[in-house]
Amino acid sequence: MRMRKIMLLALILAAPAAAAETGEPVWPNSTLFEQAPARAAARPGSSCEAAELYVTRIAEDRAPDVVELFADDGSVFSSLPRYLIGREAIARQYANVHNKGAIPVSYMETGKECAVTIAALLESREPGGARRYGIISMNHFKLNGAGKIERLIIYVRPDALARMPR
């Protein structure tokens, strides 16, 4: 539990620094970007490779294909009111997921765990305002010995879903 808290804090603190390093404009709350942020890549051979496949499939609007990345008894917990247990429940839920354009901003790994910060295009809150990219979620993956996703916890930014383009 302590390691998860450390990983979460590190990701929160790293996101603005990563944006600054890539030359992207950082907005006052450090989660909005004028242009698409640089796409991060998982380290080859790391626990983040499964997470990278997950994000890629979501970004390509292939969410139903993510189920094969999960263990038979895999689970998904989200800040949305859903808790999914098993591939069948995960497949039913992901058949309706469309988040084309998800961008992994950072990966952090430790052993069989990986945390990913994800950005996407957001609608402006101002009439006629420019659309911006913003951090929408932080996902924590835990893999089993076979490299399948055993548990996925999705921390969704509270205002992100309302600002996603329809």
Side-chain angles (χ1 to χ4, degrees):
M1 186 64 149
R2 185 173 174 350
M3 177 54 85
R4 286 190 197 120
K5 287 180 181 177
I6 291 170
M7 286 177 65
L8 182 61
L9 179 61
L11 283 170
I12 290 168
L13 296 175
E21 290 171 11
T22 63
E24 305 294 334
V26 179
W27 295 86
N29 64 2
S30 300
T31 61
L32 294 175
F33 311 95
E34 189 171 312
Q35 298 177 354
R39 176 178 287 277
R43 186 178 62 81
S46 73
S47 58
C48 288
E49 281 186 317
E52 186 172 44
L53 283 172
Y54 172 92
V55 176
T56 297
R57 290 176 185 182
I58 297 289
E60 293 174 350
D61 205 18
R62 296 176 42 215
D65 296 338
V66 302
V67 72
E68 68 189 43
L69 302 172
F70 284 86
D72 290 338
D73 61 348
S75 62
V76 178
F77 177 77
S78 172
S79 53
L80 302 173
R82 294 180 188 92
Y83 188 64
L84 310 169
I85 300 174
R87 290 177 92 178
E88 188 175 311
I90 293 167
R92 274 194 312 271
Q93 177 63 34
Y94 278 79
N96 300 311
V97 170
H98 302 284
N99 190 6
K100 195 169 186 174
I103 301 168
V105 176
S106 67
Y107 289 96
M108 178 181 276
E109 64 172 282
T110 178
K112 295 288 182 191
E113 297 184 44
C114 175
V116 184
T117 304
I118 299 175
L121 188 62
L122 302 175
E123 295 286 349
S124 175
R125 289 188 173 179
E126 302 166 12
R131 296 166 93 185
R132 305 270 189 247
Y133 287 83
I135 301 299
I136 61 166
S137 71
M138 191 173 308
N139 298 355
H140 178 253
F141 296 80
K142 182 175 182 206
L143 306 182
N144 66 14
K148 296 286 187 178
I149 301 168
E150 180 178 289
R151 183 179 61 234
L152 169 58
I153 302 173
I154 304 171
Y155 303 92
V156 178
R157 182 177 165 165
D159 65 338
L161 291 180
R163 295 182 64 192
M164 296 292 294
R166 305 254 184 261

